[in-house]
Structure formats: C-alpha cells, structure tokens
Amino acid sequence: MSDPGASLPPPGRPQGEGAAWGAPLVPVLAVVGTGLIGGSFAAALRRVGQAGRVLGVGRHPASLRRARDLGLIDEIADLHQAAAQADLIFLATPVGAMAPILRDLEPVLRPDTLMTDAGSTKVDVARLAQDLLGDRHVQFIPGHPIAGSEMTGPEAADPMLYHGRKIVLTPFEDTPGLLQHRLIRIWEACGARIALMTPEAHDRALAAVSHVPHFLAAAYMAQIIRAEDADTRLSLAGTGFRDFTRIAAGSAEVWRDIFLSNRAAVLRELDDFDQVLRQLRATLEGDADAATLESLLDQAALARRFWGGRSQMQ
C-alpha cells in the first residue's frame, strides 16, 4: 500500500473540494487509535478538506509518532486534551478498551462534542455509553464501518478505505436528529454509504457475515500449522488457501474482544454452521449419494455468484 502521507494535505490546512465550502465539517478531530481504521478516517476527511486540526490519542507513543510523521495527525494529545478541544471524537480502539475511555471522557466532555466509534459490535458499546456517559450518551452515536484489512498500524491507513463502503450507525432513540445528520454528512464526505440499524440487528447480522468467517479462518489456520507436515502444506498452498485464510491475519486483540462481546450471536451462528457441516460430511461418509453432495455444492456456488455480482453493482 502506498504511503498515505504522500497524498495528504499539510497538517492543519484543509484542501481539496471541501475547502471551497468554507469551514470544514470537523474543525478539530480527535482520533483515539491511529491505526488502520482511525488513521484512514482522518486521512479520508483530510483528502476532501473536511478535517481541520487532527489530534491523535493512543496507548502506544511510537505509533502516535509514526501517525504524526505520516501526516495523519497534527498533534499527540491525551483524552482530556482531546475532550477539551475536539468537535468530533472518533474511537477506533478494540471494544474491550472502550469502557475506561468513556469513563474518563464523561466528566470533561464538552456539551457540543459529537462522539462515535468503529467497534464491530454495537449492543455492548451502546450499553457502555448509556451506563458510563449518563445523560451525555446522546452525544455518542455508535457506528461500525464495514471496511478493513488484515494490515495494521498507521502505515496501513488509506484515505480511500471507506469510499463506497457501508457504514452502520445505531443511534439511540433519543439521539438528537441534528447530531445524527451531522455524523451522516461526515461519513458521506468520506465517500461512505450509511445504513441505520438497531444494535441488536447489527450484531446478529455481523456475527453471520463477519465474526464467524474470521473465527473459522483462524481455526483452520491453527489446524494447518499444528500438523506435522505444516511446512509442506503451506509451501503448496495457492490462491484459494490465501483468500480463505486472509482475514486470520487480523489483530488478535481486536478479534478477541469481538468474539467475547458478541459471544451469544457467534455461538448461534456456529450451531447453524455445524448443522450444515454435518450434512455435508454425511455425503462423504456414505449417508447420502453423490447427487446430494453436488446439489449442496451447487446451491452454495450459485448463492456466492449471485451475491458477488450484486455486491459489485452496489
């Protein structure tokens, strides 16, 4: 991936098509977690001139310095400094790290600051916001960008990561309409498409199409490397193996938190998958004939081709 800093405007100077519109949508942006997701968000807004000054907050000083060197952020700040200055706080951290962050932000948060997150689960994040922010939870709109990569760190940041991708927002019933509209405009400036859902519907759907696929890819990769002839197997692996296991290379910390926070929905999906796997296995064990096996494989192939063609048109 090319160096994102090479295409970014100078720090603190909005450029691009958004500059002609006057003040940027986000005069001061604070990104908590400046890796792939947070860094790409800052880069995307800067690309269109919709982020003025960008503050970087995080646990790893070296990563923050790298983000600054790449031009993803202008300044390194702590949470209190971010809360005092930011118009938008974007939480791009593992779900398990959000509780202490929200707890620290609550007493110092400005009444006009908007907050959102990029967590892959939403029921637990919404509950944390209500419990830890109290009345200020209306300033927080849970979100999940359906975009990513197995790459990590500030170097992986891509200003086009969200272009044409879907962003799920799960606002509260009492979220002010103006705040919701504001966040939608900000994401649309990144080139994203917005979907509004309840947290429960989001978590059920994402367990099926994101969380369980990663769980299975990781399990399969673990099975391969534990084999006595693992080196031989890997030396013969081709594009199918690479495509199937690609997502297993993601951050272990991030995915640990996702599986634990969405445990019930993931387990339900694994139960459903197990039933299909048993049915397929039975065709190999002689309980069904070759025609049954072919029918099951054909059903899956047709569904995948249909989905692939439809997703390319969207």
Side-chain angles (χ1 to χ4, degrees), residues 58-94:
R59 298 172 294 172
H60 306 296
S63 181
L64 290 169
R65 289 192 295 269
R66 182 59 176 152
R68 185 179 58 192
D69 292 343
L70 289 170
L72 298 171
I73 64 174
D74 300 317
E75 304 172 30
I76 298 172
D78 60 30
L79 276 175
H80 285 204
Q81 291 168 331
Q85 301 177 55
D87 300 286
L88 171 64
I89 299 175
F90 183 69
L91 304 182
T93 66

Side-chain angles (χ1 to χ4, degrees), residues 105-113 115 129-130 132-140 172:
L105 283 173
E106 190 277 331
V108 295
L109 192 64
R110 286 175 11 199
D112 58 343
T113 298
M115 289 188 295
Q130 290 176 309
L132 299 177
L133 296 176
D135 291 342
R136 292 175 180 265
H137 76 270
V138 296
Q139 296 175 235
F140 183 95
F172 300 104

Side-chain angles (χ1 to χ4, degrees), residues 120-308:
S120 293
T121 55
K122 296 274 69 80
V123 170
D124 55 341
V125 171
R127 187 181 301 117
L128 282 173
Q130 290 176 309
D131 292 346
L132 299 177
L133 296 176
D135 291 342
R136 292 175 180 265
H137 76 270
V138 296
Q139 296 175 235
F140 183 95
I141 301 178
H144 178 205
I146 312 299
S149 165
E150 72 277 13
M151 301 176 68
T152 60
E155 293 84 0
D158 179 1
M160 298 300 290
L161 182 67
Y162 304 116
H163 189 79
R165 305 305 293 271
K166 188 168 291 185
I167 309 298
V168 177
L169 300 180
T170 62
F172 300 104
E173 290 184 0
D174 54 350
T175 296
L178 286 176
L179 283 186
Q180 180 175 307
H181 178 66
R182 180 180 164 199
L183 184 57
I184 289 173
R185 288 185 61 205
I186 290 168
W187 273 118
E188 288 178 341
C190 298
R193 299 178 291 115
I194 308 302
L196 299 177
M197 302 177 70
T198 66
E200 293 78 12
H202 168 276
D203 285 5
R204 287 194 301 269
L206 266 293
V209 299
S210 176
H211 306 164
V212 166
H214 191 103
F215 194 89
L216 296 177
Y220 188 72
M221 198 70 204
Q223 180 255 324
I224 291 292
I225 62 175
R226 291 175 185 176
E228 292 183 0
D229 60 343
D231 289 343
T232 300
R233 296 185 186 193
L234 291 173
S235 71
L236 298 175
T239 55
F241 178 85
R242 183 185 64 228
D243 292 345
F244 178 67
T245 61
R246 177 186 60 82
I247 53 177
S251 166
E253 180 186 15
V254 168
W255 282 99
R256 175 204 66 195
D257 288 352
I258 289 171
F259 294 142
L260 293 178
S261 61
N262 204 23
R263 186 197 317 255
V266 169
L267 288 172
R268 282 197 299 270
E269 290 299 322
L270 286 173
D271 285 341
D272 292 343
F273 177 80
D274 186 57
Q275 291 183 22
V276 177
L277 185 61
R278 288 173 182 271
Q279 186 180 9
L280 274 168
R281 178 167 180 155
T283 66
L284 296 180
E285 293 177 337
D287 293 343
D289 57 17
T292 301
L293 174 60
E294 183 177 356
S295 176
L296 288 169
L297 294 174
D298 191 48
Q299 183 183 38
L302 289 173
R304 178 60 176 81
R305 291 172 196 148
F306 176 77
W307 173 82

